Amino acid sequence: ALVGCGEDQTAKTLEDQNKTSQYWLELSKDTEARLEIDTIYPGVSVMGMDLGGKTQAEAKTLIEQEINDQILSHEVVLTYEDQEWSFSFEELGISADAEVIAQRAYDVGRSGDLRQRAQFVAGLLQENEDIQIDTVFDEEQLMAIVESLEDEIKQEAVNAELSRKKNKFVIKPEVNGIELDAAMTVKDIQAVIQSGENNQKISLSVK
């Protein structure tokens, strides 16, 4: 009888182990099914715009609109003394790649093993993942815009002159030349835009 009891216990243990293995197998399949979806996970946003449940194509369209409304329409005002020139970000050659940003949003929560991913995606519901839009500069276009202002501020240097009129000496003072420092101005514009301080006035650098 004792032998039979031991066999029954062993059989029950094996049955429990099989049930446990089956449970975790089904749970893994369910978890994988929940994770392997073709949309962006809930809790993922771009500049505060919720993209959870959107496909990459849908996200790209929304991000493009956000770029147009929130970035390219912003202006930079360049100044020199009492003169001002306004340019939109788009005119200055500033852009952002909506497709790349949509891919970044889609990739959130898709690295690591199944358990790591499940934990991370679950955490998104408590603490969202917000992706910022990185701007790209077309430096040639930006430089061309800045250099177009050269003639507006350029002042040729004039040497001092001493002349005599009606038995009196007249001194014409020296005038220092002014030239646009285009390279430094471009750096100043880039620094302001990257800082997020939009619609700011930036003084042209001269030398």
Side-chain angles (χ1 to χ4, degrees):
L2 290 174
V3 173
C5 181
E7 290 176 349
D8 290 343
Q9 186 64 38
T10 301
K12 186 177 187 308
T13 300
L14 290 173
E15 184 181 356
D16 289 344
Q17 288 177 346
N18 288 335
K19 285 182 178 180
T20 301
S21 297
Q22 185 65 28
Y23 170 79
W24 286 113
L25 179 61
E26 294 298 328
L27 184 62
S28 295
K29 288 180 178 178
D30 183 61
T31 301
E32 186 173 9
R34 290 174 182 273
L35 293 175
E36 297 305 325
I37 55 178
D38 63 356
T39 55
I40 296 168
Y41 293 132
V44 178
S45 59
V46 170
M47 291 188 68
M49 178 176 58
D50 182 22
L51 294 179
K54 305 295 183 185
T55 65
Q56 284 180 257
E58 291 170 336
K60 179 185 174 185
T61 299
L62 292 172
I63 292 168
E64 285 175 341
Q65 188 62 51
E66 189 76 2
I67 290 171
N68 289 331
D69 293 346
Q70 302 299 327
I71 296 180
L72 299 186
S73 61
H74 285 155
E75 289 190 340
V76 168
V77 179
L78 303 179
T79 68
Y80 180 73
E81 294 183 343
D82 60 348
Q83 301 180 80
E84 291 188 353
W85 304 267
S86 296
F87 300 97
S88 69
F89 278 21
E90 189 170 16
E91 289 175 316
L92 293 173
I94 299 163
S95 62
D97 193 327
E99 186 171 357
V100 170
I101 298 165
Q103 181 68 56
R104 284 174 56 196
Y106 179 81
D107 288 341
V108 172
R110 298 180 190 273
S111 61
D113 61 32
L114 200 61
R115 179 174 294 184
Q116 290 172 330
R117 290 176 60 192
Q119 290 176 340
F120 184 86
V121 171
L124 288 173
L125 300 177
Q126 303 297 323
E127 185 174 351
N128 292 1
E129 181 89 1
D130 189 51
I131 297 170
Q132 296 302 303
I133 294 177
D134 296 324
T135 51
V136 178
F137 295 91
D138 182 335
E139 295 202 7
E140 288 187 5
Q141 185 172 337
L142 180 54
M143 180 64 77
I145 288 289
V146 172
E147 288 180 337
S148 70
L149 304 177
E150 172 71 32
D151 292 338
E152 301 282 346
I153 66 169
K154 188 172 183 179
Q155 180 175 295
E156 298 291 345
V158 178
N159 293 326
E161 291 182 1
L162 177 64
S163 60
R164 186 173 182 177
K165 293 182 179 179
K166 297 180 180 180
N167 296 322
K168 291 183 179 181
F169 288 102
V170 179
I171 300 175
K172 185 178 180 180
E174 178 185 44
V175 177
N176 293 323
I178 297 174
E179 184 179 345
L180 175 67
D181 189 337
M184 183 57 69
T185 299
V186 165
K187 287 182 179 180
D188 291 341
I189 294 171
Q190 291 175 329
V192 168
I193 291 171
Q194 289 171 339
S195 72
E197 298 176 7
N198 300 319
N199 298 319
Q200 296 292 311
K201 291 186 177 182
I202 302 171
S203 297
L204 297 177
S205 293
V206 296
K207 55 186 178 180

